[in-house]
Every structure is written in C-alpha cells, then in structure tokens.
C-alpha cells in the first residue's frame, strides 16, 4: 500500500518535490474532463494526494539511487525521446511508477510497483488502455521480462541510461547503489 503523504519525506528531497510536482499535475491533466467546478477541485485534490503518496515512497529512508533524482532523470530522458514513442502517456505513466516500491532485499519490487501504481491510476480515472500499457512498462523494468513493444524498449533504455552517463555521474550511481545494498558484502 502506498503510504501517507509528502509531509513524511522530512525535506530530504525538498527541491525534487517541487520539481516533480508540476510534472505530475501536468501529466494527469491529460485525463479526466470534469466540467463541473466541484468535480475539478475534487480531482485536483486526489491528484495532489496521490503525488504526496508517490513522492513519499520514492523518498523513504534507505533509498539513495532509486529515489526522486532517478525519477527526474527518467522524465528528462523521456523528454528527449517522446517524439519517437508510440504512446508517450503510457510510457510516462510507466516511468512514474517503475520504482514505486523498492526494497533491495525483496525480489518482487517491480510486480509490487506495477500493482500499486495500477491502483493509483485506477483511482485517478486513467483510461484502461493507458493503465495496461503502463503496467507492462513497469514490469519490463525488472530487466527479466521480455519487452514486446517499442515503448517498453524505450523504458528499459531510459531506466538504464545511467550506464551511458559521465564517469562522475556513474560513480555517484555506484556509491548510491552500494548504500542501498550495504547489507551485501563487497566482492574483491
């Protein structure tokens, strides 16, 4: 279950919170066309609450790489390739949810992320086609599930784009992953 709202992130990623929030709201402006003022207000509240929940999950203690900066990086990479995506909304949705649940000791993070983010999308009245495509996109980010579509391949490339970054960025990634997996003895 997605946990409580953004007030629990303790300011650890406060800059990222304010960088991601308008992107989240813009993304969800593509869905729902409530004509009634009250319905629009209620929808905006639901979108904001869902964002707080999502941000909290990405910001919990113990996340160093699989945290808001990684999500920001993925969305920036998406901006660079959105003109070649088949369904940019489904691809973006999949990226928002791909690391929603992350426990380095667990083996089912991606499935849990897909399940939880699907619930979020359902609660925000995202169309079924977008939901099902984005769920598949989340699932292929386990890097074991075979991709079936071009957008799923793009999602994998975006998720792994750190591997093609500068040495300095890669070294930071390596340090952050090491922190997330600090319970594993280093190889010599």
């Amino acid at each position: 279950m997605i946990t409580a709202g953004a007030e629990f992130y303790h300011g650890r990623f406060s800059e990222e919170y304010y960088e991601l929030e308008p992107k989240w709201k813009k993304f969800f402006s593509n869905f729902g066309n409530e004509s009634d003022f009250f319905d629009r207000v209620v929808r905006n509240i639901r979108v904001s609450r869902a964002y707080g929940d999502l941000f909290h999950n990405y910001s919990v203690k113990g996340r160093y790489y699989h945290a808001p900066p990684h999500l920001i990086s993925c969305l920036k990479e998406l901006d660079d390739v959105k003109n070649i995506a088949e369904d940019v909304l489904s691809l973006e949705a999949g990226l928002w949810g791909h690391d929603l649940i992350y426990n380095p000791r667990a083996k089912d993070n991606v499935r849990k992320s897909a399940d939880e983010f699907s619930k979020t999308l359902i609660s925000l009245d995202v169309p079924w086609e977008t939901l099902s495509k984005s769920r598949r996109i989340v699932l292929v980010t386990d890097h074991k599930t075979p991709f079936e579509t071009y957008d799923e391949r793009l999602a994998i490339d975006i998720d792994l784009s750190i591997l093609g970054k500068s040495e300095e960025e890669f070294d930071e990634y390596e340090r952050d992953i090491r922190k997330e997996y600090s319970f594993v003895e280093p190889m010599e």
Side-chain angles (χ1 to χ4, degrees), residues 43-95:
R43 178 171 176 71
N44 287 339
I45 291 169
R46 288 170 44 220
V47 167
S48 292
R49 178 169 277 164
Y51 174 69
D53 291 346
L54 174 126
F55 194 85
H56 170 75
N57 275 31
Y58 273 94
S59 303
V60 295
K61 184 178 179 184
R63 283 190 181 222
Y64 297 93
Y65 176 72
H66 295 92
H70 172 57
L71 186 53
I72 289 169
S73 176
C74 287
L75 294 174
K76 285 179 181 173
E77 293 288 333
L78 173 63
D79 284 343
D80 292 342
V81 299
K82 66 181 166 190
N83 62 326
I84 61 171
E86 295 170 341
D87 182 347
V88 71
L89 291 177
S90 296
L91 179 54
E92 182 174 348
L95 292 172

Side-chain angles (χ1 to χ4, degrees), residues 88-169:
V88 71
L89 291 177
S90 296
L91 179 54
E92 182 174 348
L95 292 172
W96 278 105
H98 83 283
D99 285 326
L100 182 64
I101 307 297
Y102 188 75
N103 173 354
R105 295 177 187 265
K107 301 213 181 288
D108 58 351
N109 290 316
V110 172
R111 184 195 52 77
K112 285 181 176 179
S113 292
D115 291 348
E116 284 301 319
F117 199 63
S118 292
K119 291 175 190 174
T120 297
L121 296 179
I122 289 168
S123 76
L124 296 173
D125 305 318
V126 170
W128 178 252
E129 182 179 4
T130 302
L131 186 144
S132 61
K133 287 179 180 180
S134 66
R135 180 178 173 75
R136 275 279 313 158
I137 287 166
V138 171
L139 291 171
V140 299
T141 64
D142 69 358
H143 310 294
K144 293 178 251 172
T145 302
F147 58 82
E148 296 174 358
T149 69
Y150 185 70
D151 286 347
E152 291 170 8
R153 272 196 302 186
L154 280 175
I156 293 166
D157 288 347
I158 289 169
D159 188 32
L160 296 177
S161 64
I162 187 63
L163 301 177
K165 298 292 182 188
S166 70
E167 185 175 350
E168 180 181 296
E169 290 172 291

